[in-house]
Amino acid sequence: MVRHVPNILSLLRLGLSPVFVGLLLLPGFRTRLLALVLFVVAALTDWFDGQIARAYRARTRLGQFLDPLADKVLTISAFLCLPLLYPSHFPWPAIALIILRDIWITGLRIWAERQHRPIPTSELARWKTALQMLFLVYALLWLTLYAHPDWQPTARFWLEHAFTSAWLWTLVGLSVWTAVDYSRMWFR
């Protein structure tokens, strides 16, 4: 039974993604707070499914495909919401590069799986995913607080801070780097 838990957690993460988006795009502090909590829970399932898979040697081909797919759906959903909620500081070109990388790599993984040449997740890509999740929690926290009148000035400060922009563009760089890395791995 434990062998199936990582895949169940990945499916849970996939199922939470549209609920998260629906709540995040509704107006109001409480709905955004609930969306933030759902995002954190979904992101934590990524860590737990990896820990369980390694501890119980429950790695499966389905899991190798499903886990990164669930990550992509969750992160793409969140990244798409950022410029919708605060367009002045989450530029579409940065968001597009991150999303296009994820779509490209997901397509490459599907193709590789059909060729019976699965592509394992690289260490750098794991770090990129972790940094993306942390960035999204950071951004979603400030977007949630921005919906509360008492916190708007503080939230605006951090949403518009150079640190936020630098972190976003660092993620763009890591996205491009890992896309090139995976592409070279496959096409050599």
Side-chain angles (χ1 to χ4, degrees), residues 30 46 58 71 102 106 114 119 160 185:
R30 288 187 180 128
D46 181 38
D71 293 342
D102 284 351
T106 301
R114 287 191 177 153
I119 301 172
E160 296 176 2
M185 206 183 325

Side-chain angles (χ1 to χ4, degrees), residues 78-153:
F79 274 116
L80 280 172
C81 291
L82 296 181
L84 294 174
L85 295 170
Y86 210 82
S88 62
H89 284 78
F90 295 108
W92 279 108
I95 302 303
L97 285 169
I98 291 169
I99 291 171
L100 288 173
R101 178 267 183 209
D102 284 351
I103 292 169
W104 166 250
I105 297 306
T106 301
L108 189 60
R109 282 179 177 280
I110 291 168
W111 188 43
E113 189 65 35
R114 287 191 177 153
Q115 302 295 318
H116 304 288
R117 291 177 50 199
I119 301 172
T121 304
S122 72
E123 194 62 33
L124 182 60
R126 287 185 215 287
W127 278 101
K128 178 204 65 77
T129 299
L131 289 172
Q132 277 185 341
M133 291 294 190
L134 288 172
F135 174 80
L136 288 168
V137 169
Y138 167 88
L140 292 169
L141 171 66
W142 293 118
L143 285 169
T144 299
L145 292 174
Y146 188 73
H148 193 287
D150 295 340
W151 283 95
Q152 248 182 16

